[in-house]
Amino acid sequence: MWKLAIIIFIIAAPTLAGIGALIPLSVFGVGEIDFRAVLLAVLCGVIIAVPASYFVARRLSGLLNPRGGHPA
């Protein structure tokens, strides 16, 4: 499951970091970029991607390996 979580993290981290970077750019505007706000938003996106990729990988692993006699 951890290998799947790492693969999902490779996709989710840049996506969420990019979304986070767009938030300060849309608030402050392009002419008045506050790099600390952009860096903080990017870091928040990467930090959010860690548990998100774990939960998605756990959910996918559960779907791929059914337990409890559920039909496949």
Side-chain angles (χ1 to χ4, degrees), residues 13-70:
T15 302
L16 292 175
I19 291 170
L22 287 176
I23 294 170
L25 290 177
S26 63
V27 171
F28 295 116
V30 178
E32 301 175 7
I33 297 173
D34 184 14
F35 289 108
R36 288 177 293 182
V38 173
L39 183 63
L40 181 66
V42 167
L43 263 136
C44 287
V46 171
I47 290 170
I48 290 171
V50 172
S53 61
Y54 173 76
F55 289 127
V56 169
R58 189 172 71 176
R59 178 73 180 191
L60 285 174
S61 292
L63 290 173
L64 293 174
N65 300 322
R67 296 182 190 156
H70 295 290

Side-chain angles (χ1 to χ4, degrees), residues 3-16:
K3 291 178 185 179
L4 182 60
I6 291 171
I7 292 171
I8 293 171
F9 177 78
I10 290 171
I11 297 168
T15 302
L16 292 175

